Amino acid sequence: MEETKVLTQRIRPDRSAVWIDDYMDLGGYEALKTTLADYGPAEVGPLIKEAGLRGRGGAGFPTGVKWSFMPRFEDRPDERPAHVYLVVNADEMEPGTFKDRLIMEGDPHQLIEGMIIAAYAIGADTAYVFLRGEYTECRRRLQQAIDEAHAKGFLGENILDSGFSLNLHLHMSAGRYICGEESALLSALEGRRAVPRHKPPFPAASGLFGQPTTVNNVETICNVPHIVKNGADWYKSLGLNKDGGTKLFGASGHVAKPGLAEFPLGVKLGDVLEHFGGIRHGRKLKGLLPGGGSTPFLTPEHLDTPMDYDGVGAAGSRLGTATMVVFDDQTPIVGVLKNLEHFYAQESCGWCTPCRDGLPWVEKMLINLEAGKGQPGDLELLDLHVKLLGPGKTFCAHAPGAMGPLEAGLKYYRDELAALIPDDASNLSRTEAANANPL
Amino acid sequence: MIELSEAEIEGIKHEMSLYEDPGAATIEALKIVQEHRGWVSDEAMAAAAQVVGVTPTQMEAVATFYNLIFRQPVGRHVIMLCDSISCYLTGYEEVRDHLKSTLGIDFGQTTADGRFTLLPICCLGDCDMGPSMRVGEVYHNRLTPERVDEILAEYK
Ligand SMILES: Cc1cc2nc3c(=O)[nH]c(=O)nc-3n(C[C@H](O)[C@H](O)[C@H](O)COP(=O)(O)O)c2cc1C
Ligand code: SF4
Ligand code: FES
């Protein structure tokens, strides 16, 4: 299947960066000029809303709607707080996810142009890129691109004589997956432990340093210039179903040709897999995580699933970051689950007890199962953890994210997991314990 | 108490100027100290806290949370081996065992000659080319035991 290249149209095969002259030769910064010349700040958000752009960071929240939560101060300048912030989430630590790195390294100006337009739209005067600490090559390229944009008058004071000013800074994280959770990210940016915050208040009301703040994913923001340039209808028409636009799809694990590609939202899962060469070594698909480590497995029965937010949702999973992790029919499911739950146990921020204590427990049970030391009742105990660490039971979405693949694993591969438990029906204590639990 | 160098202090002050609340430079201050000294000792941490204007306890709360801040001396080259799912599926365990036995150390340890420190890291964003690791700031991918031997030889 042919790719539809919007966000990746300028990315070079050798992945060298597109610097500002080439970027502008290829139509870059035209959307920024259009925005500043033809749109009032409050007019950009509705365009993005109309285009149907949904957040590409995992949760899929409509971007235009998120922006509309930002307070507007055009009519009441005296009430304007000292700062209004745009923060780009470039933390990218979800296992299996590598999309933001490639677009930032390959086309850094696309992100910067998107950020300037987004900041204008939400009335921000200061923007940060919260960049994963390990992405040092990304840092070098983004910093060079920021300097270039400054030199051309696209950043700083009074951009292109429009009266709009923006400071843009790079912030390097010091590592921890939880920094990607938007409220934890704000804690990290404030120089504290990356512990999530209670919502409400939402960041639009009280975000970074207590000021109005919008947090958006890298890929989300990279869509913005294209929407401004080509219009909402064009953007909507790219998607094959309800969701507008294209999406970066990745494939890693047991596919023949792992990598990144761009397709319209709604492309069939089977077609995406085929693009990446299908399963390597002539083997068969056993399952896949459609969008990173926290998305429940899909199986061969789901190959016709349209890869958009509703389609993957209807198949019992989430589109997530759409960077899928694929495994073949010779892969023991217990190892896959053990690896995923190790990650989540390790990366718990430790703030709330179910997550801090429950995840290591889950990991330990999976290690024992793999080693043939499981006990009757283990699967029921794992079921119980799926409930106790599920949505609404913990302070943030980290633990429920960890339970997504576990729940699907227990559903689709239950027999395989049960077969790992030595046959000792006399030892029912754990089953009894699980059954006796009122939850 | 030790004194930070001119360059360290300047670096930290620059970071402080980028935020509404200078205390936000806490994490960056630790990283600057680490860049200059290789790791962050208690004394260096206290000195950095003073520059930023936070208490040493606040500084320590942060220093112990983030995994790229080293609170112990590390070797000349820090190896971070991805242990997440895509690398796991493409041969992580073999590479890990080979690294451990070749270097004669476990995760969290440094070779006796001070050359390498071995650390696990979660997904490096290099999943399509796994198994993957970083040595210092350089990514190395599509690892096999043989590739690992070649790579280690590059680092003196
Ligand atoms: C534990 C956890 C980790 C997350 N990590 C990331 C991340 O690395 N990058 C990202 O863009 N969003 C991440 N998210 C989602 C963010 O909280 C947030 O929804 C997103 O950045 C919003 O941007 P969007 O609306 O443009 O998608 C994470 C969420 C959770 C719960
Ligand atoms: S669910 Fe986990 S990561 Fe989220 S606040 Fe609780 S302990 Fe922290
Ligand atoms: S899983 Fe190893 S780099 Fe992503």
Side-chain angles (χ1 to χ4, degrees):
Chain A
M1 182 162 159
E2 278 288 300
E3 288 188 67
T4 304
K5 294 192 177 192
V6 177
L7 304 187
T8 55
Q9 60 182 255
R10 300 184 195 88
I11 302 233
R12 299 182 173 127
D14 68 355
R15 293 182 178 180
S16 62
V18 175
W19 299 118
I20 198 159
D21 291 335
D22 289 341
Y23 183 74
M24 292 180 71
D25 283 347
L26 295 166
Y29 287 111
E30 274 165 29
L32 174 64
K33 290 174 188 161
T34 309
T35 304
L36 296 179
D38 301 346
Y39 289 91
E43 290 167 355
V44 187
L47 177 69
I48 301 299
K49 200 191 248 176
E50 172 62 27
L53 174 62
R54 294 178 65 169
R56 307 298 198 223
F61 193 80
T63 306
V65 176
K66 188 188 269 189
W67 291 4
S68 73
F69 298 151
M70 291 294 276
R72 303 230 64 111
F73 300 99
E74 282 89 18
D75 302 335
R76 40 187 185 115
D78 339 333
E79 291 170 44
R80 204 188 145 83
H83 295 287
V84 174
Y85 294 109
L86 169 72
V87 178
V88 164
N89 190 342
D91 197 47
E92 191 154 81
M93 284 180 87
E94 176 111 346
T97 301
F98 54 98
K99 65 182 182 75
D100 294 339
R101 176 177 154 227
L102 293 192
I103 47 175
M104 284 188 285
E105 285 183 2
D107 196 358
H109 281 287
Q110 181 174 237
L111 175 63
I112 294 168
E113 183 179 9
M115 286 179 72
I116 305 168
I117 298 171
Y120 179 74
I122 61 169
D125 63 298
T126 307
Y128 294 98
V129 180
F130 186 94
L131 184 62
R132 178 168 186 187
E134 288 86 353
Y135 282 3
T136 36
E137 183 55 29
C138 233
R139 171 194 212 164
R140 277 188 281 272
R141 295 188 187 190
L142 276 176
Q143 191 57 57
Q144 177 169 339
I146 292 168
D147 295 343
E148 288 180 342
H150 248 289
K152 285 264 198 289
F154 299 145
L155 279 173
E157 293 298 311
N158 191 17
I159 296 168
L160 301 176
D161 276 329
S162 64
F164 172 64
S165 304
L166 179 69
N167 286 313
L168 195 161
H169 305 295
L170 264 181
H171 173 100
M172 299 301 283
S173 176
R176 281 312 283 276
Y177 171 65
I178 194 62
C179 294
E181 196 278 336
E182 67 173 7
S183 67
L185 184 151
L186 298 175
S187 301
L189 251 183
E190 290 175 1
R192 299 189 278 118
R193 286 188 159 219
V195 172
R197 304 173 179 182
H198 189 271
K199 291 187 249 183
F202 288 92
S206 174
L208 189 62
F209 305 113
Q211 316 283 21
T213 304
T214 290
V215 181
N216 272 132
N217 168 261
V218 171
E219 185 185 347
T220 311
I221 293 293
C222 286
N223 277 282
V224 170
H226 300 284
I227 296 173
V228 169
K229 205 161 142 191
N230 302 298
D233 288 336
W234 166 83
Y235 193 77
K236 272 191 291 196
S237 74
L238 289 174
L240 302 179
N241 298 319
K242 209 176 93 198
D243 296 316
T246 58
K247 178 79 193 73
L248 300 178
F249 286 92
S252 62
H254 296 159
V255 289
K257 290 184 278 178
L260 199 74
E262 185 172 3
F263 293 112
L265 275 168
V267 58
K268 290 262 191 304
L269 172 57
D271 291 340
V272 179
L273 265 182
E274 202 177 305
H275 175 87
F276 292 110
I279 308 304
R280 68 180 199 184
H281 306 327
R283 291 188 189 149
K284 291 204 171 59
L285 172 69
K286 175 165 180 170
L288 57 90
L289 300 152
S294 62
T295 52
F297 300 113
L298 296 178
T299 64
E301 71 189 79
H302 297 117
L303 289 176
D304 283 335
T305 303
M307 297 298 283
D308 51 31
Y309 295 92
D310 291 348
V312 185
S317 185
R318 287 187 303 115
L319 184 67
T321 60
T323 37
M324 49 203 219
V325 179
V326 182
F327 49 98
D328 68 24
D329 54 356
Q330 299 193 10
T331 314
I333 193 66
V334 68
V336 172
L337 291 173
K338 176 198 70 175
N339 179 276
L340 290 168
E341 299 307 331
H342 168 74
F343 165 79
Y344 286 100
Q346 188 92 12
E347 292 301 321
S348 166
C349 85
W351 185 249
C352 60
T353 313
C355 173
R356 181 186 60 234
D357 288 355
L359 290 176
W361 186 263
V362 166
E363 184 194 354
K364 210 166 143 190
M365 289 178 69
L366 291 165
I367 290 173
N368 284 340
L369 272 181
E370 189 181 41
K373 291 190 233 152
Q375 294 184 37
D378 273 1
L379 300 192
E380 289 73 15
L381 261 185
L382 287 171
D383 290 336
L384 190 64
H385 278 81
V386 167
K387 271 193 216 145
L388 294 176
L389 301 183
K393 300 288 202 301
T394 58
F395 196 69
C396 86
H398 177 86
M403 292 303 104
L406 181 63
E407 180 174 20
L410 287 161
K411 176 171 151 198
Y412 293 123
Y413 310 107
R414 200 168 187 94
D415 293 347
E416 182 185 331
L417 290 167
L420 295 169
I421 298 174
D423 201 12
D424 181 6
S426 61
N427 180 359
L428 284 176
S429 55
R430 282 188 160 200
T431 322
E432 279 159 14
N435 288 342
N437 192 302
L439 285 161
Chain B
M1 190 167 127
I2 60 162
E3 296 269 333
L4 297 186
S5 70
E6 210 52 38
E8 283 167 304
I9 294 173
E10 228 167 78
I12 294 172
K13 293 224 158 119
H14 170 71
E15 284 299 323
M16 289 165 67
S17 73
L18 301 181
Y19 302 89
E20 185 177 338
D21 174 355
T26 306
I27 301 170
E28 205 57 38
L30 289 162
K31 290 169 79 181
I32 289 169
V33 167
Q34 181 162 297
E35 256 165 50
H36 284 82
R37 295 162 195 265
W39 66 291
V40 184
S41 65
D42 285 352
E43 294 76 21
M45 195 177 67
Q50 203 169 39
V51 178
V52 179
V54 298
T55 65
T57 317
Q58 279 173 305
M59 200 70 151
E60 183 162 22
V62 170
T64 50
F65 187 85
Y66 293 100
N67 62 25
L68 298 181
I69 305 296
F70 307 140
R71 298 301 321 281
Q72 291 175 33
V74 291
R76 286 198 296 287
H77 310 290
V78 176
I79 302 176
M80 292 185 174
L81 177 66
C82 170
D83 65 4
S84 291
I85 187 69
S86 307
C87 293
Y88 169 83
L89 289 170
T90 47
Y92 156 76
E93 287 176 329
E94 198 189 357
V95 170
R96 172 199 64 197
D97 294 347
H98 184 75
L99 264 171
K100 283 187 180 179
S101 66
T102 309
L103 297 174
I105 52 174
D106 206 340
F107 281 129
Q109 297 179 339
T110 299
T111 52
D113 60 4
R115 219 167 122 211
F116 294 109
T117 297
L118 181 63
L119 297 173
I121 187 97
C122 53
C123 180
L124 283 168
D126 203 28
C127 325
D128 54 334
M129 302 211 256
S132 190
M133 68 180 182
R134 258 167 64 103
V135 183
E137 290 194 351
V138 182
Y139 277 73
H140 298 278
N141 43 37
R142 302 217 161 99
L143 298 175
T144 57
E146 298 73 46
R147 275 286 293 141
V148 165
D149 289 339
E150 288 165 26
I151 293 161
L152 292 183
E154 290 170 28
Y155 293 87
K156 294 294 156 214

